[in-house]
Amino acid sequence: MAPQYAPSLRSRLAPLLLFLQIGFIVIYYFYVEIENNVNGITFRNLYSVFQDLNVMVFLGFGFFSTFLVRYGFSGSGFNLLVAVMATQWALILNGIESWYYRGKIWIDMKSLVIAEMCTSLVLISIGAVQGKTNPVHLVLMALLEVFGFVLNGWLLQTLLKVRPLNSIMLLHIFAAFFGLVLTRVLHRSETEYEKEKLNRKTGLFSMLGTVFLWMFWPSFNSILLLEHHSPERRLRAVCSTYLALAVSAVASFALSVLSSHKGKVNPTHFLSCLFAGGVAVGVPMPVIHHPWEAMTIGLTAAVVSTIGFRYFKNHMLFAFDCHDTCSILSTHGLPGLLGWLAHLLLQIKHCDDHTTATRFAVFHISALFITLSTSLIMGILTGLVLKWDIWRPPQDKKCFDDQAYWKFEHLAVCK
């Protein structure tokens, strides 16, 4: 039988990338300028966390995506491609307000940091469809998801008067449910998943990415407090995040051993649940005043994440035809919802007036409802766009395989 080759993307990927990049250059030529009035202290503070965020985006998520045994090049390479495209696009969308009032999109370190945080949103969602999509799909997905997230922030600011930076911390919930509904729309009933596994080498690289994410997560959670908050608030954010991460790391070890029939650490459980505490503590960070609160959130997040990974992934596949490759529901979705609930409870606890507490509860629930609605709607629309055969989706037998997209001379098939 003649070998089945993956459809060529030469007529799709190269024109799309060149068209988008030239379009970005034109937009930047006419409408984008670099800010002139720069505060030296603010620049140094933001540049240090910008570097930390770069490590998370390009090394952390990049290496974390290499766990599939035959998809390592694609996992890391497509991560880089999507990240740089999404960052350029996010700078434009986040600068529309500046363009409207000032006639130009002025960029500085703060706008770069926010754009890369929007990029991390896309890299989280990619985990749900990893191995089942081609790079054309991923680039289009990045453009539509960043647009949806910016739209969600505008809705929160317009309808609920939410501060622009506070809405960004809902990115874990937005990304997780966007990815889940997207993979549901793109589901293939006959896809074979025998290549969806890891070995010692790919697991080691993925572990390296997880360690990078774990190390720099305190910077991720404290970035939004750098400009308008006191050093005490920033210190509290860093310490709370570190303690939550430490507790979730310990708990993920213990729970992985408990959930194993032979009492061994399951690497997939550990990799997915290690930084659940950092995800969960991001939303309630402004109302955490004591170390034990952050540690409790970290412990609960690890429990929820481990249980979700152990039981929800297969259940979502068989019950809802929702195949979540990287288990973003248990890694980001459930801890994100837990953090949202913790924020609600802690804020109500600190309120002495019942009327104020009730108003905050309504406000908080409304923010979650808007975020979930926008995420699900944009996920469905993106899935419908990506289902078009014009994008040449990979064949079922070519899913989770680098050879569909990368040239390896020693693995070439001779006719």
Side-chain angles (χ1 to χ4, degrees), residues 9-22 136:
L9 297 178
R10 175 180 296 178
S11 62
R12 302 295 189 275
L13 181 60
L16 174 65
L17 293 179
L18 292 175
F19 171 78
L20 290 174
Q21 191 58 76
I22 293 173
V136 177

Side-chain angles (χ1 to χ4, degrees), residues 139-328:
V139 171
L140 293 174
M141 169 186 168
L143 299 178
L144 292 171
E145 185 174 9
V146 171
F147 170 79
F149 187 64
V150 173
L151 174 64
N152 179 71
W154 179 82
L155 290 174
L156 292 177
Q157 296 170 41
T158 304
L159 300 178
L160 301 178
K161 306 301 179 183
V162 177
R163 295 177 181 176
L165 297 181
N166 289 347
S167 63
I168 296 179
M169 293 314 296
L170 294 172
L171 66 89
H172 299 286
I173 297 175
F174 188 98
F177 286 92
F178 179 95
L180 288 174
V181 72
L182 178 61
T183 192
R184 172 62 184 87
V185 175
L186 298 179
H187 176 74
R188 305 178 182 199
S189 58
E190 298 180 358
T191 302
E192 299 178 1
Y193 302 116
E194 72 275 3
K195 299 177 185 177
E196 189 189 356
K197 56 186 177 181
L198 58 83
N199 59 15
R200 291 182 61 185
K201 182 183 294 186
T202 58
L204 181 60
F205 276 106
S206 185
M207 182 63 191
L208 179 63
T210 304
V211 171
F212 276 123
L213 291 172
W214 192 94
M215 289 171 56
F216 291 98
W217 211 278
S219 294
F220 186 88
N221 280 352
S222 63
I223 282 174
L224 303 182
L225 301 177
L226 280 175
E227 192 172 7
H228 302 293
H229 294 81
S230 63
E232 291 77 11
R233 291 283 301 274
R234 299 197 296 269
L235 175 62
R236 186 188 305 166
V238 171
C239 293
S240 299
T241 304
Y242 179 82
L243 291 173
L245 286 168
V247 173
S248 65
V250 174
S252 62
F253 263 110
L255 294 171
S256 180
V257 172
L258 289 175
S259 62
S260 173
H261 296 296
K262 297 183 179 180
K264 297 182 179 181
V265 178
N266 187 325
T268 54
H269 289 183
F270 181 66
L271 292 175
S272 298
C273 308
L274 183 63
F275 48 83
V279 175
V281 82
V283 178
M285 186 174 53
V287 295
I288 294 178
H289 301 302
H290 305 285
W292 68 267
E293 295 173 343
M295 298 172 76
T296 303
I297 293 174
L299 176 63
T300 309
V303 174
V304 170
S305 181
T306 304
I307 294 175
F309 186 91
R310 180 70 176 83
Y311 298 105
F312 284 2
K313 182 175 181 178
N314 293 332
H315 179 75
M316 294 288 288
L317 176 60
F318 293 114
F320 302 106
D321 289 333
C322 182
H323 178 258
D324 184 4
T325 304
C326 293
S327 299
I328 63 171

Side-chain angles (χ1 to χ4, degrees), residues 366-399:
S366 300
L368 178 66
F369 176 77
I370 293 174
T371 300
L372 287 177
S373 300
T374 308
S375 174
L376 296 176
I377 292 173
M378 288 302 302
I380 293 173
L381 294 177
T382 303
L384 294 176
V385 171
L386 299 188
K387 282 181 71 71
W388 296 348
D389 290 336
I390 190 177
W391 311 125
R392 296 198 175 184
Q395 301 165 352
D396 292 342
K397 293 185 178 180
K398 295 298 181 179
C399 291

Side-chain angles (χ1 to χ4, degrees), residues 325-346:
T325 304
C326 293
S327 299
I328 63 171
L329 175 63
S330 58
T331 306
H332 297 274
L334 296 180
L337 290 175
L338 174 66
W340 174 87
L341 180 61
H343 189 191
L344 176 62
L345 296 178
L346 288 174

Side-chain angles (χ1 to χ4, degrees), residues 90-116:
L91 283 170
I92 295 173
L93 293 180
N94 289 324
I96 290 179
E97 183 178 1
S98 173
W99 170 79
Y100 181 79
Y101 289 106
R102 302 173 63 183
K104 288 283 186 178
I105 298 175
W106 294 91
I107 60 175
D108 51 14
M109 289 307 304
K110 177 183 174 182
S111 60
L112 280 175
V113 166
I114 294 176
E116 283 219 336

